[in-house]
Every structure is written in structure tokens, then in C-alpha cells.
Amino acid sequence: MYLRRRIEDLLADLREGRLHDSESAQLKPEIEKVTFQPDGSVDLDSCSPTLRSIARAYALTKSQTPNQPARTAEVATPDARETAQLNRELFDKLGQFFQRVTGRAPNKFLRGSEDFSASIRRLGESMKGDQQSSQVVNDAFVELYKYLRESNDARLRGALALVGSKLVLGGTQFFSNSSLHAVRSMLLYCDTVLIADPVLPFLEGQPTNSRFVLPRMLEQIFFLSQLRPLIDADLPYPAIVVFPSYEKLMQAKDLHTQDGLELQFLGLFSHFADATFEDSEELYEFAASNQGKLITAIESNQLLIPPGGTGSEPFGEAVALIRAAHGVFGTTEFKQQVQGMSDMSVALSHIGDRLIPQFHLAENADSLGASPLIAVPQQWHYFRLLRQVERETLVRQGILQGETGRLIEALTTPPMEWLGNVPLEDLVTLRRDLVNEKFRKTLGGYLTELGEADDGNLDQVTARTVRALTNMMAEHGKDVRKITEDYQHKHSQTAVGAWISAGALFLPTFPVAAPMAALGIFSKYVVDKVGEKRTLKKKRKTLMGVLAAAKAKG
């Protein structure tokens, strides 16, 4: 779809006279070769490599043409304290919604030794056929939607304006217990953890394939509300900020998002299947004629991780697990749709779904000037796969040396101890006391240096930074022990030994290229290079990936 849209856009502008006569004359020989399918769409097989490159380059020049901004009234941007207050109000509204629907506050929802799943099933049984409960739920939805619609803009502006060392949580579409643990694990290693509002997607009005919208929504609020002590604390700087990211809406309405998702998907398979895919149609055609080769690529690189799986399952077993999950959680319409799909189509669709949060994580990190934080090991695996594609692309283009690429990969597996299991009440105290501030400032300096690198000095800066980070990690183990010992002396009743957790690690990622100059649609540079560099964002401010492993306390 990506390439077809580009070619059809070029042809439409040509028909409407938006190109110069000389440019139209140059295009004529290539356009005369184009044929169309019965539905009127372009037949990609008839499009020459030259026309494909020109169409991509033309789209690039259009995207870089500045539009005259509309005149809008100036709106004040919330400062850090106002942003913190906006988040307190959000947590108040979410808590009120939860209590209206369930009859209990989030922190009092569980009974005895029940976990959330058992408690929500009990609630569901009690609400079956209860018309009054249905009306309460509908009213609560309307009220929450109204609040979010009125407050989202200010909360987003506040998040964008925050300075300091920031992480943004992503890689998954839900805020779960693993997400909660990841956030807690990194609160002494950054100034602010930014969390894309996990409730908003349920209220954006976009279709869903899940039968369990309300339970899923309540689950997001339940786990998010565990962070309430940090939201309520009067800290020098907000530790947690929840912001609206409009991901579902962007997927449905925004062409940049749709193109980005498709290019990410195609880039992954082009790399691991050792082929070139410029449109999803080409990938599916390849899958039909080279199924064995594609299955080998999927299995050998663990591209397909089914629900409850590890990625090591044989292809057929993985697909069966995916179908089984759809049978339990999918709507009737979605289950019927999946039943009519081939195993390969189910697999490709599932991999595409796994990659969607990765795209949004990169976009959020870029726009917020933050570093990615990933909570779920399976999503960390996809994060690393995409970074591998980008890293090896840069090595192939000569922007990074092979040795530097190996240094980056080695940095993904160092032993590291983190203050990751600190109880929330102690986290508040440690944040107030600015504990571990030196580590945060040192890390922030490295991130700044990486963010300012371009394709001219990227290799040199990367090698220096990776070595410095490795040394810093080695020293950090001593700092962790000292912090826990100091705190133990002050709070003799607190067992701080369990604070230390393993499994959090850094991964610098380098999808960097200097902004590509728009030299004219038929410039040889653009025609040659736009395809070569299509996987690289023109600029990426955030180059540090972070994993906080979802390791249970104790």
C-alpha cells in the first residue's frame, strides 16, 4: 500500500498539472509502461525501478515543503507543578470511574488473596443482566470521556514542555503489572517517566477486535493507580506524567503513521528474508511463492512470538496458539475473519500487531525528547530486532564501522544491579532526597552527546559513549550498595536488601541520518538515496533504549 499510494499520488498530481512541463516530459516514458488492475489501482509489477524511486522522492519533497501555519490564539503551557496537578486530577477522575463501575476504589478492589483476574470475573458475574449497572457504566463512560476531551490538550502540552532526563514507557498496548514494575524500577534513574494514557484508546471511538473492553479498561486503571503515592507526593519535579498519545486515532486517520507502520514492517522482513519489499502487496506475494524461505526466516530469527509463547515454537505451533487466543478474546466478527485467513496471513498479521507499539514508542520518544522504556521481555525482543535492522543498515552504508556495531550489541547483555524493587513510600523519600542524582546527570550527558551526533561523527561518538557507559555500569554496582547501606542506617526497620533487582539494561540505538536535502524530484542524489535510506528517520533526538525487566519482587 505504501508504494502504491506514492505512485498514485504522483500520477494524480501529474494529471492535475501540478508538475512542470519539463518534469512531465521526463516522466512520460516511465508512465507509459504503467498498467492498472481491474479495480483501477496501479499494478506494481508494471512500475519500473526508476518510477518507484521518483515516486518516493516526490513524496519526500512534498513532506518537506513547509505549510503556512494557521493563526491560532496563544495558549499557556503548563509548568512542571501545573503538569503534576493535572496528573493528580487525571488520577482522581480515573479513580472515580473505577469506583462507580466496581463499587470499590482501585486500592481496595482485591479481596483477600484474589488477583485482579479473579476479582474482575467476580464483578462480571454480579453485573450480568443488571440494567441499572449498565446505565451506571454508560454514565461513567460519558463523564470520563468529557473530562479527557477537555483536559488532554493541556496534559500533552505539559508533557512536551518537561525538561530533564525522561523515559517514555512503550512497546506494549496495555499498562500491566509488568509495566508498573518497569516504571518503579527506573524512577531513580530519570527525572520523569512518561506514560501514554492507557485508558484513552478505549474512548477514541475506533473499532476493536477484543470482546473485553470494560475489563481491560479497568485493568489499566487498577495497575496505573498503584502509582498514586508518587502522583500525590509534593516532589521537586513530577516523577510520573501520563499524557495522551492518540495512537488508535493516528493509526486510523494519520497517513504519516500508516506509512511509518508499513515501512517498519517491510524493513524488518526485507532484512531478515534477504529481499526487498517496497509495498505490503509485494511481501504477501513473496510469502505465497516462497513460503518455505519465509518460514525459515521467521523461525530462525524468532519473528513470531505467539500469546503465551517464547518465539522458539515451530511455525505451525505458533500459529495455532495465535488462533486459539483469537478464539478466546476476539469478537465474533474478528474470529470469522481469522478463520478465513491462511496460516501465513495470520502470522504476518500477528507480527505486524507486535510491531505497532514499537512504532508509537519511537514516535513518542522522539517528540517528547525521552528515551524508550520497555517492560515486557517479548517486546524487548522486537525492539532489539528493529534496532538490529537499523544498526546493520548504518554499518552497510558506512556510517557506523563494524566494530562499533559489535560494541553496541555487546552492551545489551552486561550484568547490572538496579534499585528496582524499592517500595513506593521509600521511593518518594529517595526522590525528595535527590538520591542517585549524579548517575542521572552523568547518563543525561551521554544521551545529549548521542542526540547531537550525525552521520558524519556518529561512529566516533558511539564508540566513545558505549565504552563510557560500560565503565559507568561497572561503577554503579558500588553506588547501589552504598545507597542501600546509608538508607538502612537511617531506617533500621526497613529491609532494603530486597530493593536490588537485576535485569535492567541500556541499549543505545542509532537510526540517525542528517536531514535529506530536497534537491528537486529528479535529482540523481534523491532518486538514488531515498530508497537506500528509507528506513532511517531524518532526525532522532533520542537514541537510548532501556529495558526494565518484569521481575517479580522477592
Side-chain angles (χ1 to χ4, degrees), residues 483-497 499:
I483 290 170
T484 56
E485 288 170 6
D486 289 347
Y487 199 88
Q488 184 74 76
H489 290 316
K490 295 177 184 177
H491 304 272
S492 58
Q493 301 303 312
T494 303
V496 300
W499 286 7

Side-chain angles (χ1 to χ4, degrees), residues 107-150:
N107 63 341
K108 297 179 179 178
F109 181 60
L110 303 186
R111 291 182 178 175
S113 60
E114 277 186 342
D115 60 12
F116 179 82
S117 296
S119 296
I120 204 69
R121 283 196 296 270
R122 172 174 46 78
L123 175 69
E125 289 296 324
S126 69
M127 294 175 64
K128 272 185 180 178
D130 187 341
Q131 294 298 320
Q132 185 175 357
S133 294
S134 298
Q135 187 59 50
V136 168
V137 170
N138 289 337
D139 292 345
F141 264 99
V142 170
E143 185 174 324
L144 181 59
Y145 174 77
K146 182 175 182 293
Y147 165 76
L148 292 176
R149 186 180 59 190
E150 293 172 351

Side-chain angles (χ1 to χ4, degrees), residues 422-439:
V422 183
L424 284 174
E425 58 272 19
D426 293 312
L427 267 177
V428 170
T429 302
L430 292 170
R431 290 277 305 200
R432 282 202 187 107
D433 294 344
L434 302 179
V435 170
N436 222 30
E437 186 176 26
K438 178 183 175 183
F439 184 96

Side-chain angles (χ1 to χ4, degrees), residues 407-479:
L407 276 174
I408 297 169
E409 179 60 23
L411 191 63
T412 67
T413 54
M416 186 69 175
E417 290 183 326
W418 299 90
L419 289 166
N421 286 330
V422 183
L424 284 174
E425 58 272 19
D426 293 312
L427 267 177
V428 170
T429 302
L430 292 170
R431 290 277 305 200
R432 282 202 187 107
D433 294 344
L434 302 179
V435 170
N436 222 30
E437 186 176 26
K438 178 183 175 183
F439 184 96
R440 294 201 299 272
K441 287 185 175 179
T442 304
L443 177 60
Y446 293 143
L447 292 177
T448 299
E449 186 176 15
L450 280 171
E452 293 173 351
D454 58 28
D455 57 358
N457 66 354
L458 180 61
D459 184 76
Q460 180 182 359
V461 171
T462 299
R464 181 170 64 248
T465 302
V466 168
R467 291 189 178 96
L469 282 170
T470 303
N471 292 333
M472 185 177 72
M473 289 178 178
E475 290 295 319
H476 181 61
K478 301 175 185 176
D479 295 336

Side-chain angles (χ1 to χ4, degrees), residues 36-198:
F36 297 86
Q37 296 178 340
D39 63 0
S41 60
V42 167
D43 182 354
L44 290 178
D45 290 339
S46 68
C47 299
S48 67
T50 300
L51 180 60
R52 291 168 177 238
S53 294
I54 290 173
R56 289 194 303 269
Y58 180 63
L60 177 68
T61 60
K62 286 183 70 174
S63 69
Q64 291 185 343
T65 302
N67 295 319
Q68 188 67 28
R71 291 180 176 269
T72 57
E74 289 190 12
V75 180
T77 297
D79 61 21
R81 287 198 172 275
E82 291 168 334
T83 297
Q85 181 57 34
L86 285 169
N87 273 265
R88 291 187 191 103
E89 293 173 5
L90 172 67
F91 272 64
D92 285 343
K93 295 295 183 182
L94 294 178
Q96 291 165 14
F97 175 88
F98 192 97
Q99 183 147 2
R100 287 183 67 181
V101 173
T102 69
R104 288 172 171 259
N107 63 341
K108 297 179 179 178
F109 181 60
L110 303 186
R111 291 182 178 175
S113 60
E114 277 186 342
D115 60 12
F116 179 82
S117 296
S119 296
I120 204 69
R121 283 196 296 270
R122 172 174 46 78
L123 175 69
E125 289 296 324
S126 69
M127 294 175 64
K128 272 185 180 178
D130 187 341
Q131 294 298 320
Q132 185 175 357
S133 294
S134 298
Q135 187 59 50
V136 168
V137 170
N138 289 337
D139 292 345
F141 264 99
V142 170
E143 185 174 324
L144 181 59
Y145 174 77
K146 182 175 182 293
Y147 165 76
L148 292 176
R149 186 180 59 190
E150 293 172 351
S151 66
N152 275 347
D153 182 58
R155 289 195 296 116
L156 180 57
R157 283 186 282 109
L160 290 168
L162 288 172
V163 296
S165 174
K166 295 170 288 185
L167 303 179
V168 58
L169 180 69
T172 180
Q173 299 182 43
F174 302 109
F175 191 88
S176 63
N177 192 44
S178 297
S179 308
L180 173 63
H181 183 77
V183 172
R184 285 181 46 193
S185 294
M186 300 308 293
L187 281 172
L188 292 177
Y189 298 90
C190 66
D191 294 313
T192 304
V193 176
L194 297 149
I195 302 171
D197 188 339

Side-chain angles (χ1 to χ4, degrees), residues 385-426:
L385 288 175
L386 291 170
R387 301 297 79 79
Q388 178 184 341
V389 172
E390 293 168 341
R391 185 174 66 250
E392 293 180 6
T393 298
L394 291 173
V395 170
R396 188 172 63 251
Q397 293 175 352
I399 297 173
L400 282 183
Q401 299 300 312
E403 177 60 25
T404 306
R406 286 187 287 274
L407 276 174
I408 297 169
E409 179 60 23
L411 191 63
T412 67
T413 54
M416 186 69 175
E417 290 183 326
W418 299 90
L419 289 166
N421 286 330
V422 183
L424 284 174
E425 58 272 19
D426 293 312

